[in-house]
């Protein structure tokens, strides 16, 4: 049975990319202003990347805990309004406009949050209920251990690495006020501010599409707290790791390095860990996009220690058993399947059985092949179309990399697709062609069309979010100002024209 969402347009803009005075986007007033702009442009979907606390490398796809919120996103002005920060302390947190400086954030932001925590009443009933709920117990212990010992969890003293019961009880007692409750506090503040923002966005008639990575980071509370659910050896080291073989994005494949799930152990527990994960995501988002959906049909296992992803084997994932259990326990959950990369009959069958819409990327469409599934004329209704994703260059960046001959071919093919939709749109320059691709996405039959904010603003490759397989310099894009009135007007006009 197909899941057909309301026909509409979306904008992809991660929280970190919002402008403000504090070095990284937050859940503060700029998020509400952006939501108001989406509403005025008649946008129905706001898509974000995982809003999690990031670990080494600052990637939202490598988190210290998969259900966490990013402490950097906490609205500091909101903390001042609650009497937890004063004006001078708030001013000390100001940072220059421009790209996110994660090193500076790491070295300064937690100090500010600790000042706020020192003034917070930990006996507040709402907070004590939050702590007693237990959702962030493993996370708070994990972060407290990292605060004391640094490094990865596999370098903790053995009694903590292997979570010996008595040692863990004693450790928790010793850090209860200094660290354990601090980490509970940051998650409490994030959850409180997130709910307020989500309620506001929903009140505007806008749904939030949120991303969950298929895999979790090795150095995470998830793996440390549940090593039996992952393919680890007796020393809690991965025996095989995740990635994908060579493809469009990388000629040597992508070696992600995440530990792999032990799907037999997951099945034996009726997928309890996954149920809780989807349940938490369902509270945060209206629609859940599962990153690397294909890994739930078959996943690529790379021997631990390999330097590239060229050697590996495909192994069976849980398939419909997982989704049947999700449905049985949680009812119908709205999801999008990120079905990019190497597809085969099995994963296509799984997507069809779930009814989830797949993804279509227009940047992949214009290779001259009439059967290309990303060509606008081939895009079916039950799908989500994008000009590009966070892993692609911006459209203008891609076009600027093309030779004159390549660009001429692109223009010819794009004009033909627009003409097929009855759209006569003159464009000559690369900037004009970038806008034309955005309009083309909005004209397709796909129920949802999502435009990255960089493409809405016609920005070049300097504003790219991520380059897969390049470990540094990613996730730093931040708007210096919101899209212009003209940007929003072009989007709104196209939304109205194509009945979105």
């Amino acid at each position: 049975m197909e899941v057909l969402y309301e026909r509409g347009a979306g904008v992809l803009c991660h929280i970190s990319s919002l402008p403000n005075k504090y070095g990284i986007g937050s859940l503060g007033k700029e998020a509400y202003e952006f939501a108001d702009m989406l509403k005025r442009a008649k946008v129905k979907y706001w898509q974000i990347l995982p809003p999690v606390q990031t670990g080494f490398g600052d990637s939202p796809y490598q988190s210290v805990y998969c259900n966490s919120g990013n402490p950097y996103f906490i609205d500091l002005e909101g903390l001042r309004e609650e009497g937890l920060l004063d004006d001078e302390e708030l001013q000390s947190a100001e940072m220059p406009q421009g790209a996110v400086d994660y090193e500076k954030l790491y070295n300064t932001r937690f100090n500010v949050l600790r000042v706020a925590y020192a003034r917070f009443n930990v006996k507040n009933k709402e907070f004590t209920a939050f702590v007693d709920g237990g959702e962030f117990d493993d996370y708070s212990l994990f972060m407290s251990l990292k605060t004391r010992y640094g490094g990865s969890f596999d370098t903790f003293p053995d009694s903590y690495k292997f979570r010996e019961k008595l040692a863990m009880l004693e450790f928790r007692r010793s850090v209860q006020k200094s660290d354990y409750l601090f980490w509970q506090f940051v998650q409490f503040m994030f959850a409180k501010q997130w709910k307020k923002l989500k309620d506001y966005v929903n009140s505007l008639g806008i749904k939030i599409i949120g991303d969950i990575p298929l895999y979790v980071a090795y150095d995470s509370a998830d793996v440390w707290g549940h090593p039996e659910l992952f393919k680890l050896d007796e020393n809690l080291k991965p025996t095989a790791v995740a990635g994908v073989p060579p493809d469009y994005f990388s000629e040597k494949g992508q070696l992600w390095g995440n530990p792999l799930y032990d799907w037999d152990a997951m099945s034996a527990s009726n997928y309890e860990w996954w149920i809780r994960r989807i349940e938490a995501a369902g509270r945060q988002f209206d629609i859940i996009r599962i990153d690397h959906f294909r890994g739930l049909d078959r996943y690529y296992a790379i021997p631990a220690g390999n330097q590239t992803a060229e050697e590996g084997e495909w192994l069976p994932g849980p398939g419909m058993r997982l989704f049947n259990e999700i449905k049985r326990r949680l009812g119908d959950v709205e999801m999008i399947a990120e079905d990019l990369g190497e597809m085969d009959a099995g994963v296509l069958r799984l997507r069809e059985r779930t009814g989830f819409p797949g993804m279509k990327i227009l940047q992949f469409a214009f290779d001259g092949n009439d059967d290309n599934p990303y060509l606008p004329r081939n895009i079916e209704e039950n799908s989500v179309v994008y000009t590009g994703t966070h892993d692609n260059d911006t459209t203008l960046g891609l076009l600027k990399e093309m030779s004159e001959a390549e660009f001429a071919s692109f223009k010819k093919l794009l004009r033909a697709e627009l003409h097929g939709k009855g759209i006569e749109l003159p464009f000559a320059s690369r900037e004009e062609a970038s806008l034309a691709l955005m309009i083309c996405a909005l004209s397709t039959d796909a129920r949802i069309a999502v435009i990255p904010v960089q493409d809405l603003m016609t920005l070049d490759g300097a504003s790219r979010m991520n380059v897969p397989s390049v470990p540094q310099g990613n996730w730093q894009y931040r708007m210096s100002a919101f899209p212009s009135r003209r940007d929003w007007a072009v989007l709104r006009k196209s939304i109205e024209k194509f009945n979105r």
Side-chain angles (χ1 to χ4, degrees), residues 211-222:
D211 222 359
I212 65 167
L214 176 61
Y215 294 116
V216 299
Y218 171 64
D219 186 29
S220 66
D222 303 290

Side-chain angles (χ1 to χ4, degrees), residues 76 170 176 183 368 436:
L76 298 181
E170 289 174 351
Q176 177 80 1
W183 294 109

Side-chain angles (χ1 to χ4, degrees), residues 317-328:
M320 277 306 293
R321 295 190 305 281
L322 172 62
F323 294 106
N324 288 337
E325 188 63 16
I326 290 170
K327 179 161 184 158
R328 187 180 76 80

Side-chain angles (χ1 to χ4, degrees), residues 472-486:
Q472 293 177 320
N474 295 315
W475 319 109
Q476 294 178 286
Y477 168 69
R478 191 160 66 108
M479 290 182 269
S480 56
F482 285 122
S484 68
R485 284 187 177 185
R486 180 182 175 276

Side-chain angles (χ1 to χ4, degrees), residues 64-309:
V64 296
Y65 176 50
C66 69
N67 294 334
S68 64
N70 194 332
Y72 295 156
F73 295 169
I74 293 171
D75 174 28
L76 298 181
E77 293 180 0
L79 297 184
R80 180 184 60 182
E81 288 164 17
E82 292 198 35
L84 301 177
L85 293 175
D86 63 28
D87 289 347
E88 191 177 329
E89 289 155 353
L90 190 63
Q91 201 170 358
S92 75
E94 291 184 12
M95 293 173 67
Q97 290 283 5
V100 179
D101 184 340
Y102 285 105
E103 184 178 3
K104 188 172 182 183
L105 271 172
Y106 180 77
N107 289 326
T108 59
R109 183 57 57 84
F110 289 109
N111 296 335
V112 176
L113 292 171
R114 282 188 178 274
V115 168
Y117 167 65
R119 295 195 181 105
F120 179 72
N121 176 16
V122 295
K123 293 180 179 171
N124 169 304
K125 282 186 180 178
E126 194 183 354
F127 179 65
T128 54
F130 180 86
V131 175
D132 291 344
E135 183 177 358
F136 292 98
D137 186 53
D138 279 350
Y139 158 85
S140 298
L141 286 168
F142 177 78
M143 291 307 301
S144 298
L145 284 162
K146 286 181 79 69
T147 302
R148 176 174 289 189
Y149 295 104
S152 173
F153 81 82
D154 68 334
T155 65
F156 292 167
D158 279 358
S159 58
Y160 302 139
K161 173 181 172 180
F162 294 103
R163 295 171 59 91
E164 292 174 11
K165 196 169 184 180
L166 186 58
M168 291 309 305
L169 283 170
E170 289 174 351
F171 176 76
R172 176 173 169 166
R173 272 198 295 270
S174 72
V175 297
Q176 177 80 1
K177 189 76 189 286
S178 62
D179 290 300
Y180 177 84
L181 288 179
F182 167 71
W183 294 109
Q184 292 277 359
F185 163 75
V186 295
Q187 292 305 319
F188 173 75
M189 293 309 306
F190 176 92
K192 185 175 167 182
Q193 292 186 356
W194 178 264
K195 184 179 186 310
K196 184 180 173 187
L197 175 63
K198 181 178 182 293
D199 287 349
Y200 182 76
V201 172
N202 289 163
S203 78
L204 300 177
I206 298 168
K207 287 188 171 185
I208 294 178
I209 301 173
D211 222 359
I212 65 167
L214 176 61
Y215 294 116
V216 299
Y218 171 64
D219 186 29
S220 66
D222 303 290
V223 176
W224 175 72
H226 296 280
E228 73 282 1
L229 298 178
F230 297 86
K231 292 192 173 181
L232 309 176
D233 64 20
E234 65 277 6
N235 290 313
L236 306 188
K237 291 281 193 184
T239 55
V241 296
V244 288
D247 62 8
Y248 170 89
F249 288 110
S250 174
E251 62 182 26
K252 291 191 173 181
Q254 296 178 48
L255 179 63
W256 299 330
N258 307 72
L260 296 169
Y261 298 114
D262 183 334
W263 285 113
D264 289 339
M266 288 279 186
S267 175
S269 65
N270 288 328
Y271 303 104
E272 182 65 29
W273 183 91
W274 266 96
I275 298 297
R276 285 191 286 107
R277 187 181 188 194
I278 296 297
E279 191 174 30
R283 288 194 298 269
Q284 281 195 321
F285 317 128
D286 299 297
I287 301 171
I288 301 168
R289 192 196 84 126
I290 300 183
D291 194 64
H292 195 57
F293 177 82
R294 76 101 51 250
L296 293 171
D297 174 59
R298 289 193 307 146
Y299 62 93
Y300 193 61
I302 303 161
N306 278 23
Q307 299 303 303
T308 73

Side-chain angles (χ1 to χ4, degrees), residues 2-38:
E2 290 192 341
V3 179
L4 291 177
Y5 300 116
E6 182 183 5
R7 182 172 172 84
V11 172
L12 169 58
C13 178
H14 193 35
I15 301 298
S16 64
S17 297
L18 296 170
N20 66 19
K21 297 189 291 188
Y22 306 105
I24 192 168
S26 80
L27 307 179
K29 63 180 185 294
E30 291 82 7
Y32 290 82
E33 288 174 32
F34 188 69
D36 289 338
M37 292 175 184
L38 295 174

Side-chain angles (χ1 to χ4, degrees), residues 339-382:
D339 54 351
L340 306 175
E342 286 290 320
M343 293 296 108
D344 58 26
V347 70
L348 294 176
R349 192 162 52 245
L350 178 62
R351 185 174 60 74
E352 285 170 11
R353 289 183 68 191
T354 61
F356 302 152
M359 289 174 53
K360 306 297 180 186
I361 311 301
L362 292 195
Q363 287 189 15
F364 299 159
F366 301 99
D367 60 0
N369 173 13
D370 286 344
D371 295 325
N372 185 318
Y374 302 119
L375 260 182
R377 75 181 83 150
N378 296 332
I379 293 175
E380 65 270 15
E381 187 180 24
N382 191 33

Side-chain angles (χ1 to χ4, degrees), residues 413-467:
L413 293 166
L414 178 54
R415 284 193 186 109
E417 289 299 317
L418 289 166
H419 181 74
K421 288 281 185 183
I423 305 165
E424 299 305 327
L425 180 66
F427 60 91
S429 71
R430 294 171 199 243
E431 287 78 7
E432 290 167 342
S434 175
L435 279 176
L437 191 70
M438 179 181 87
I439 292 167
C440 184
L442 294 162
S443 77
T444 63
D445 290 341
R447 277 283 165 151
I448 301 175
V450 178
I451 311 301
V453 73
Q454 296 97 317
D455 286 354
L456 174 61
M457 300 166 75
T458 325
L459 299 177
D460 64 20
S463 299
R464 183 172 182 166
M465 192 59 152
N466 180 49
V467 182

